[in-house]
Every structure is written in structure tokens, then in C-alpha cells.
Amino acid sequence: MANRDMYHNISPVISLAPAARTANEAGAAVDLAGFYGALVVIATGTITDGTHTFVVEESADGTNWAPVDDKELLGTEPVVEASDSNKAFRIGYLGDKRYIRVAVSVSGASNGGVYSAVVLRGFPCHA
């Protein structure tokens, strides 16, 4: 059933590796060359305390980063607190920059929270 084949139509890349965080962090750059779309998936484990605000950033050169304008996103970048333990969030990227990454700003955390961010590159030029 080729019409249900996602294996050949997506390519996952980790931007924020799974870890417990109590401080701000910018994730690794994800190169979108060869793909026409991207979906960010943020998965949380236990969030003990603090407020964890996620931002999708974009760059034309992989060096100079800026937050993606809300009109270039599908869905909303989450603000995660203790009540958001063990959840998954998704954000679609509609922009045209070559690189994206996920950054998180953390405030009021002593133990923090465990989470990761994966970028699913999709609609490959050559599947």
C-alpha cells in the first residue's frame, strides 16, 4: 500500500535531544534542503517545575537565527508547565528558510522538566 507509506516520505532529525532541563537552550540546526515541508514534534516526560517556552527559529545560512513569524507556523508553540507532563505537541513549518531549530526558554525551574524536540522533514524532492 504505497499510498500509506510514510517511511519514505519523512526523515526525522533531533533538534533538542531528550534531557532534563533547567536552563535556556537552542537546539541543533536541521537542514531542510531536499524537503518541501517540516513538522516539529515536542515530547515531554515529567515536568517538575518551571515554565518552558518553546520557539521555532529559522535561518537562511545556519548561523543567524530569528523566531519564525506566527503566520509561517501551523499550530502554536507550546508553553509547558507541570500539568503538561507526558504530552506531545506539534507545530507545522510553512516558511522558506533552509534551516530550522527549536529553542526553549526556561524560567522558575529548580528541577525542571524532561523533553525533546524532533523535526520531521517531509515531502522529499526524491522519495
Side-chain angles (χ1 to χ4, degrees), residues 6-14 29-40 98 100 118-124:
M6 290 188 56
Y7 182 88
H8 290 97
N9 290 304
I10 61 171
S11 173
V13 180
I14 295 173
V30 176
D31 189 349
L32 299 180
F35 294 88
Y36 293 115
L39 178 73
V40 174
R98 179 170 175 176
I100 64 171
V118 174
V119 176
L120 299 175
R121 302 178 299 176
F123 306 113

Side-chain angles (χ1 to χ4, degrees), residues 86-108:
N86 302 311
K87 291 185 179 178
F89 303 87
R90 65 183 178 164
I91 308 143
Y93 176 68
L94 301 173
D96 60 0
K97 299 292 189 289
R98 179 170 175 176
Y99 300 93
I100 64 171
R101 70 180 182 186
V102 180
V104 64
S105 296
V106 181
S107 63

Side-chain angles (χ1 to χ4, degrees), residues 16 21-26 51 53 103-107 115:
L16 286 173
R21 293 185 174 78
T22 58
N24 299 350
E25 186 172 346
T51 301
T53 304
V104 64
S105 296
V106 181
S107 63
Y115 44 81

